Amino acid sequence: MKSLLLVFIGGGVGSALRYLIGKWLNSPDTGIPYGTFAANILGSLLIGIILGLAAKNNSLNSNQTLLLATGFCGGFTTFSTFAYENHVLLKSGDFTSFAVYTIASFIVGFLAVFLGLYIIKWL
């Protein structure tokens, strides 16, 4: 029950923060949903750092990892919104924004995870 509560709290905080970033950065005028992109990339970097810390000398215990990685990062990042926003871009015929957003999200997201792990490895 404690594990579920930790994931619930972390997820709530992550989701609320993602909502605020989306309200601040997403604009129908720009085409690319920068708020979702920023949340997903930042979340990818954070999960790399968090899981890197958890693996390095047991710097984080399992409860901290549940709260931060599963809860916060799980609530903060969002594949469902990413998929829906790509649907909207395709439906509107904005194939350039679709391609840029999709490719950049995958490439930069993977690089952010690797960067987070690399940072922890060399600290």
Side-chain angles (χ1 to χ4, degrees), residues 15-122:
S15 294
L17 187 56
R18 175 175 38 88
Y19 170 77
L20 292 173
I21 289 173
K23 287 301 247 183
W24 181 47
L25 293 177
N26 285 352
S27 168
D29 301 331
T30 61
I32 295 177
Y34 292 107
T36 305
F37 180 79
N40 285 338
I41 300 308
L42 183 56
S44 295
L45 176 64
L46 287 174
I47 205 165
I49 290 170
I50 292 162
L51 295 179
L53 283 171
K56 184 177 183 179
N57 302 324
N58 294 322
S59 298
L60 295 177
N61 65 40
S62 62
N63 286 334
Q64 292 168 321
T65 303
L66 278 173
L67 174 73
L68 298 171
T70 306
F72 180 80
C73 289
F76 187 62
T77 60
T78 174
F79 187 78
S80 57
T81 302
F82 168 75
Y84 175 74
E85 288 166 345
N86 276 303
H87 164 78
V88 170
L89 291 171
L90 285 173
K91 188 175 178 181
S92 71
D94 191 351
F95 300 112
T96 302
S97 292
F98 165 77
V100 169
Y101 180 48
T102 302
I103 293 167
S105 292
F106 282 116
I107 292 173
V108 178
F110 284 124
L111 291 174
V113 170
F114 296 139
L115 176 62
L117 292 166
Y118 181 80
I119 288 169
I120 297 306
K121 180 180 177 181
W122 293 107

